[in-house]
Amino acid sequence: MAGDSPLALLLLLLFFLFALCISSLALSSSPQSDPLSVCIVGAGIGGSSAAHFLRQYSPAPFAGPPTLRIRVFERNPVVGGRMARVKIDGDTFEAGGSILHPKNYHVLNYTKLIGLKIKWPNSSKAGDGDDDDGSFGIWDGKKFVFKTWSVPNTKKLPFVDKVVSFANALQLFFRYGLSLIRMNSFTESTVNKFLKYYESFETRPVFETVDDMLKWAGLYNLTTRTLEEELVDAGLCPALIKELITVITRVNYGQSSRISGLAGAVSMAGAGDNLWQVEGGNWQMASGLLNVSDISLHLSEEIESISKLGNYYELNSTKGNSYKCEVTIVATPLDELSIRFDPPVSIPPRKLQHTHATFVRGLLNPAYFGLGSAADIPHLVGTIEEPGLPFSSISILTRHSEKDATYKVFSRQTMGDALLDQIFSVRQETIRIDWGAYPHYQAPEVFAPFILDGRHLYYINAFENAASTMETSAVAAENVARLILTRLFGKVDHSVSMSSDASASDIRLHSDL
């Protein structure tokens, strides 16, 4: 460079100094501290949704590590929580949360994000059967007080199918009259209010309590009265409430029409048309969300204690491990868990409603129902609220032949062998599952707080006292994620989101899944 002029050397020196300043500025603007540690207890739809929304809404750093480091703990060897499958003679069926509403927009978005396929059962009431003839009966323990007509193999005769559907609609109208219209109006009104939870952040606040969240959407009053009281005021006839409404609440929540109003309305929405499920199992939503949320998953590791130590929480597990987390989210019902909190937390006492799901491969006994043939038994047998009735519902999941089918029985108590042998003439295989499925609803409902300690210990399942579904868990999880990020960073970054067009081939599965 001996031939270069002094001016050229000076310009070159200034260029290097400018580049050094830019580099230093970039380094100084990138995060130097470790990412905040977030621990989530529970890998069901609530916990996986929380991980997803925390990752989606976190302020994106200019450079360096992610804003949050997320750990998810699951006491079971698989994810999914109350979204579980059961296998009977090689076939698998939903054992927990089975159906989803067409306006469950969070879970619909999950299927697009993860690349899952949607399955539309032929009957929303019958679970996940593929050959549902749509027949339905209301059993009072002695006789069918209502029973629809059905014609076998109507799928191949669309005209006949429409005629039968029209005849059954007339049957319903003659029995319940204009109350059917009032029932639909009540349900649609509740669903429309719930849709406020999908509004943009500009119009939808972050809620610190369940009470405020419900009041904002106009749903709180429904939790202060029973469904029966609400429906009487809406002008529904007593026969409709005693029969059809009670069948719906017993199928979906194992409880009578004395259930609290909002849970009852959500239950009624779950008996509508165009309900769907994920092909291959709803649990895949939890699995897929965790896969794409950059989390550390701890399966078969139950959290025994959560202690507040200075500016972090210490979580101790059954494996003897200890974890430090600046934010902790409980995404599983605390009602029947023995997690020790130090200092103790206070939540209103709540009893879980246990649903006993009994899966039977065999054939129903027509004599038990006072019928001459098993083919005369409706596809779904619902029951009214009568003492001594041993089951809430019986539905066909799939029919293998005229004398062989797989059934799902819901009951409030364990179905013993002697009782099953009365109801079934043939039993080849029987599987029993006891679910602590949802709260026992009793108006007026009292809600646990989303923030358990006034700091950074959060409880998603506080919302379950309003209604318990896969979608309500997702809605509560989204609010809790926004609440956390707002309290940590003062804002939520919703300008950067995961593509809803992601395909299954784009996802790198977590090694533990």
Side-chain angles (χ1 to χ4, degrees), residues 61-109:
F62 179 76
T67 309
L68 304 174
R69 181 175 67 251
I70 303 175
R71 294 180 184 271
V72 178
F73 298 90
E74 173 54 53
R75 60 177 175 165
N76 296 307
V78 294
V79 304
R82 285 169 284 180
M83 299 183 298
R85 301 278 280 177
V86 63
K87 181 174 285 189
I88 298 182
D89 197 27
D91 295 323
T92 56
F93 306 97
E94 298 286 357
S98 310
I99 54 174
L100 294 145
H101 193 274
K103 292 185 178 179
N104 286 167
Y105 293 132
H106 282 321
V107 291
L108 272 173
N109 285 337

Side-chain angles (χ1 to χ4, degrees), residues 107-313:
V107 291
L108 272 173
N109 285 337
Y110 294 166
T111 63
K112 296 176 183 177
L113 169 69
I114 303 165
L116 299 174
K117 293 182 179 180
I118 289 177
K119 177 181 177 182
W120 305 89
N122 294 322
S123 169
S124 60
K125 300 181 184 68
D128 44 350
D130 292 320
D131 56 348
D132 179 15
D133 61 11
S135 59
F136 163 68
I138 301 175
W139 174 253
D140 69 357
K142 298 178 181 178
K143 64 183 182 305
F144 284 102
V145 298
F146 178 83
K147 187 171 175 285
T148 60
W149 293 306
S150 64
V151 178
N153 300 320
T154 57
K155 292 184 181 65
K156 297 180 180 179
L157 300 168
F159 174 74
V160 175
D161 189 48
K162 289 180 180 179
V163 171
V164 172
S165 296
F166 180 73
N168 284 327
L170 285 178
Q171 258 207 105
L172 284 167
F173 182 78
F174 286 137
R175 187 169 187 85
Y176 303 121
L178 294 176
S179 287
L180 290 169
I181 298 173
R182 299 187 186 107
M183 177 185 75
N184 289 334
S185 178
F186 172 81
T187 305
E188 288 179 11
S189 173
T190 305
V191 170
N192 288 336
K193 290 176 181 177
F194 190 84
L195 294 181
K196 288 178 67 68
Y197 295 130
Y198 306 108
E199 290 183 1
S200 68
F201 289 174
E202 286 75 15
T203 59
R204 178 163 53 98
V206 177
F207 304 99
E208 292 195 359
T209 69
V210 179
D211 303 65
D212 288 342
M213 192 171 177
L214 295 171
K215 289 174 182 176
W216 177 81
L219 294 169
Y220 179 78
N221 287 342
L222 285 173
T223 69
T224 66
R225 307 175 71 213
T226 68
L227 176 64
E228 184 177 298
E229 291 170 332
E230 292 289 339
L231 296 181
V232 168
D233 285 356
L236 274 69
C237 67
L240 179 58
I241 298 173
K242 178 182 178 182
E243 296 173 0
L244 189 58
I245 300 297
T246 298
V247 166
I248 291 170
T249 57
R250 283 171 66 90
V251 170
N252 289 331
Y253 281 132
Q255 297 162 68
S256 74
S257 60
R258 300 293 298 173
I259 193 173
S260 54
L262 181 55
V266 169
S267 178
M268 291 164 63
D273 295 326
N274 299 319
L275 303 184
W276 58 278
Q277 54 195 194
V278 175
E279 187 175 307
N282 294 329
W283 66 273
Q284 294 172 101
M285 290 188 290
S287 173
L289 289 177
L290 295 175
N291 285 337
V292 300
S293 295
D294 188 21
I295 58 98
S296 175
L297 180 61
H298 301 255
L299 291 174
S300 299
E301 188 161 9
E302 184 173 1
I303 298 301
E304 291 183 308
S305 65
I306 301 174
S307 303
K308 184 73 177 72
L309 302 175
N311 61 353
Y312 65 88
Y313 298 90

Side-chain angles (χ1 to χ4, degrees), residues 475-486:
V475 166
E478 196 231 15
N479 178 72
V480 167
R482 292 179 65 204
L483 179 60
I484 291 169
L485 296 173
T486 301

